[in-house]
Every structure is written in structure tokens, then in C-alpha cells.
Amino acid sequence: MESSRLLIEGGRRIEGELRIHGAKNSVLPILAATLLCGSTSVIHNSASLSDAFAAMRILRSLGCTISHEGSTVTVNSADAEGDIVSDGLMHEMRSSIVFLGAILGRVGRCRLSFPGGCELGPRPIDLHLEALRRLGVRITEDHGILDCTAGVRPQSADITLSLPSVGATENIMLYSALGSGETVIRNAAREPEIADLAGYLIKCGAKITGQGTSTLVIDGVPSLHGCEYTVMPDRIEAATYMGAAAITRGELMLGGVRPQDMYSCMSVFSEMGCGVYPYDDKIFISARKPITAVRTVRTMPYPGFPTDCQPIVMAVLSKSSGTSVIVENIFENRFMAAPELRRMGANIKAEGKVAVIEGVKKLYGAKARAYDLRAGAALVVAALGAEGQSEILNTHYIDRGYESIETALSSVGADIKRI
Ligand code: EPZ
């Protein structure tokens, strides 16, 4: 799909204030969770992102009525009896897999096509399926179609995830919230988005404890009701704009953030030589000094350094003094930004899960392609810090996770246009 392009004239300092939008990776599972209530929920701080719109299309296809005004989405799932997520919708957004637990919890049956792999690698869902089977769900896989039927639930299930999968944790929470029996999830994901999903479900009447820790306990309840809920801020959007300030030697005040979710990100920016000052719902970042290399950045499950910030930090470290090493421990193929950054003059050698970045003094504007959401954002950050004009193609990837990135960046001094 030939999507719009971004034209960026680099070299302008990023300076001013930005308000951060609601988290993409929180609003998606929360929208899925509205299916469980069978009544109306009002979700505030829902960013206008193509992934959020895709989730709303899925909800409508299942029988929900939805309206949205600015960043508030109203979902009435009283008549949501659907049990199929169409192939098209599944392939539009692979994280639609999080609807599986919610649809099964609501109607007891779900058919959807195996989520395709994506740019980041195969994206398996073995942990999701294994856990749901432990909860009595019968799952057959035939020609890429998953056919799931809820069976008798165990009175209590004790599930240990072999890795703290965000999606698997969310699917188990969504399936266990309604019904009977106690479900314990060990080695659960601890990401703040998990606690946000739990916050919404608890407000709907669910009984969940341990969110944010490695052990979650969900006691199924006979019914859930709709509620009014405000989505947490997007820590990855915040880190992206911190990267824009860092690479242009600028200063930025981010508002509407939760610094307590961002310690590992903030510490990497401090190590680069930025002044990072969190307080209340703000973070002030100042990059008056040249960026210095960071010896090693390792991506880890939360509270470690988030994989979603890795491409952004790769872009910033491309224009620094010294050699940095990035180790990507979460996804198999998440250095998609490297070849495009090299077109801008970056000196990056990526092999397997390790990328070595020899900082250069200058980056130069170039024509570059986004191949996935965060690699696309990394190209925008690099273009802001490059000399001359850059043209970023395939910006539909970027629009999945950033609400009008060009409006946000123009408001703090960037010369960026969408064509
Ligand atoms: C969520 O993806 C996020 N997406 C990702 O953000 C984020 O990078 C990721 O968590 C890690 O934080 C949403 O929340 C919509 P995982 P998810 O299950 O749930 C492997 C972005 O840019 N795995 O924690 O898919 C998997 O292949 C996106 O906003 C299995 O092997 O992440 C990956 O290597 C990108 N089997 C690792 O675990 C499974 O059954 C982490 O996956 C499940 C996962």
C-alpha cells in the first residue's frame, strides 16, 4: 500500500512542551476487555491510532456499538454475540490475538486465523494456546484457522509462563476474569500495561491481585459491568520524543506521563549525557551536551529496558561519540532500522541479537523506508538530527503507534511535513 510520506528538514532543535497520548499497548487489550461487560464502557485518553481504529472495527464486527469523540471511546457490548475475527482484520493487526481471550470469555467460542508473523519475527502464540488449553479451552488448528471452544473450567489453575509474555498474560486475564475458578499466572508479564488492563477489569467488577508483579491471581466472577476508565500514558511515545530532543541537542518538557514507568528508559538517556528530570506527571529532558556512547543497552522484559525503545535509542546513538552495543533479547529481528540508518551515514553492524554502533559526528538526510512501527519512528528521530532533507516512506507503519507524529514534532520546532 503506497502510504503517505514524511519530508523532514533536519538540524532544528526540538524545544518546547508536548503532551503524551494514551498508551497503544494498553488501549488495545482494554478495548478487547469491553466485550466482557455486556454493557457500556467509556474509555478516555484513547489515542487516535490506526491500531486502535482496527480494534474498534473488530469490536463492531462482533456486534458492539461504538462511538468516539476525540480521545474518548464509548463501547456498548450488550449485543456482542460474534465469535469470529475475520482473516482481514487478523492480518491487519497481529495483536488482535488479544481478542481471543475476551471473545472466549464472552461467548465461549472463537474462530480466528493464526496471526501472521510480522516484521519482528514469527511472533508465535504457543504460550497463549497452552495456557488456554490448561483452562479447559479446546483448540484445533486447521489450515491456519484456530477454532476454540470453552470447555469445563478447572476450579483452580496454576499456570507458569516459560517467558513473561505480555500478550499471553493479557489473554489469560481476559479469559479468567469472567466465570468461576481461581487462575494463578506465574512468571506473568509485569509491564505497566498489564496493571492498566487489570485496573479496567477491576473497575468492571473483576477480582485480580498481583498485577505488576510476576504472580497474578484472578478469581472468576459471574458477571462484569461497564465502567469509565482513563488509559495510562504511552511510555514508548514519550521515549520517542525524548530521543528527538536528545539527537537535536534540544530541550523538551513532556506532560501527561508516568515517570515511574520509565526508569530504564530515563537511565539510558542519562547515560548518553542528557539531563533527565522526572517529577509528578512530567519529564524534562535537556541535551545541551553532545551525546556520548552507552556501553551496552540490553532489552529485557519490564522493568528492564523496553524492546520498543531499542530502535529509537539506536538512532540517537548513531550520532554520538564512541561505540555502543545493543543486545536485543526479546524479538528475533528487531534491527530493521539499521540498514535505513546506514543510508543516513550511520555506522552500525547488526548480527543476530547484537548491534554495534560506531557513533558518527554527522548524519545526512536520505530517502528511507519504515519497515515496522518503531523502526519507522527511529528514522524520524534520525532525520531530525541529520543534515539536510530526509524522506521517510511507508509512514502507515508509524501511524499505527503515533498520533499525528508530524503535528506533535512541528509544535516543538521540527521542520516536518506529510505529503
Ligand atoms: C507486546 O507484544 C507489545 N504489543 C509489543 O509492542 C512489545 O514489543 C512486546 O509486548 C514486548 O514488550 C502490544 O502490546 C500490542 P510478548 P507481544 O508476547 O504481546 C515470544 C510495539 O511496537 N512469544 O511479550 O506480542 C515473542 O515471539 C509492539 O508497540 C513466544 O515465543 O509480546 C517475542 O519474541 C511491538 N510465544 C517475546 O516472546 C508466545 O506465545 C515477547 O513477546 C508469545 C510470545
Side-chain angles (χ1 to χ4, degrees), residues 16 48 60 73 94 105 145 201 231 233 298 322 342 360 365 392 403:
S48 297
R60 282 200 186 91
V73 182
R94 62 162 314 285
I145 298 286
L201 286 168
V231 174
R298 287 180 189 81
R342 278 198 286 267
V360 294
I392 315 285
E403 182 172 328

Side-chain angles (χ1 to χ4, degrees), residues 2 19 30 35 75 94 102 150 160 230 238 242 284 315 324 334 389 398 401 409:
E2 175 54 34
R19 182 159 187 76
I30 286 175
L35 279 171
V75 185
R94 62 162 314 285
T160 299
T230 299
M242 288 172 74
F284 181 65
S324 306
R334 198 165 204 175
Q389 187 177 81
I398 301 172
L409 288 168

Side-chain angles (χ1 to χ4, degrees), residues 24-25 28 94-95 120 123-128 163-168 170 191 307-308 330-331 334 373-374:
K24 165 179 87 82
N25 292 347
L28 294 180
R94 62 162 314 285
S95 42
L120 307 180
R123 304 295 291 276
I125 55 169
D126 53 312
L127 302 181
H128 299 238
L163 66 84
S165 157
V166 170
E170 290 167 347
E191 271 71 2
T307 172
D308 294 345
I330 307 295
F331 286 107
R334 198 165 204 175
L373 162 57
R374 306 300 174 183

Side-chain angles (χ1 to χ4, degrees), residues 346-357:
N347 181 346
I348 303 169
K349 287 180 190 57
E351 180 130 357
K353 56 195 265 184
V354 179
V356 179
I357 302 151

Side-chain angles (χ1 to χ4, degrees), residues 247 291-294 313-325 344-349 355-363:
I247 202 169
I291 298 298
T292 52
V294 172
V313 160
M314 175 182 275
V316 180
L317 292 173
S318 296
K319 192 175 97 173
S320 68
S321 58
T323 302
S324 306
V325 174
M344 295 180 173
N347 181 346
I348 303 169
K349 287 180 190 57
V356 179
I357 302 151
E358 302 287 348
V360 294
K361 271 209 171 331
K362 282 198 169 139
L363 293 174

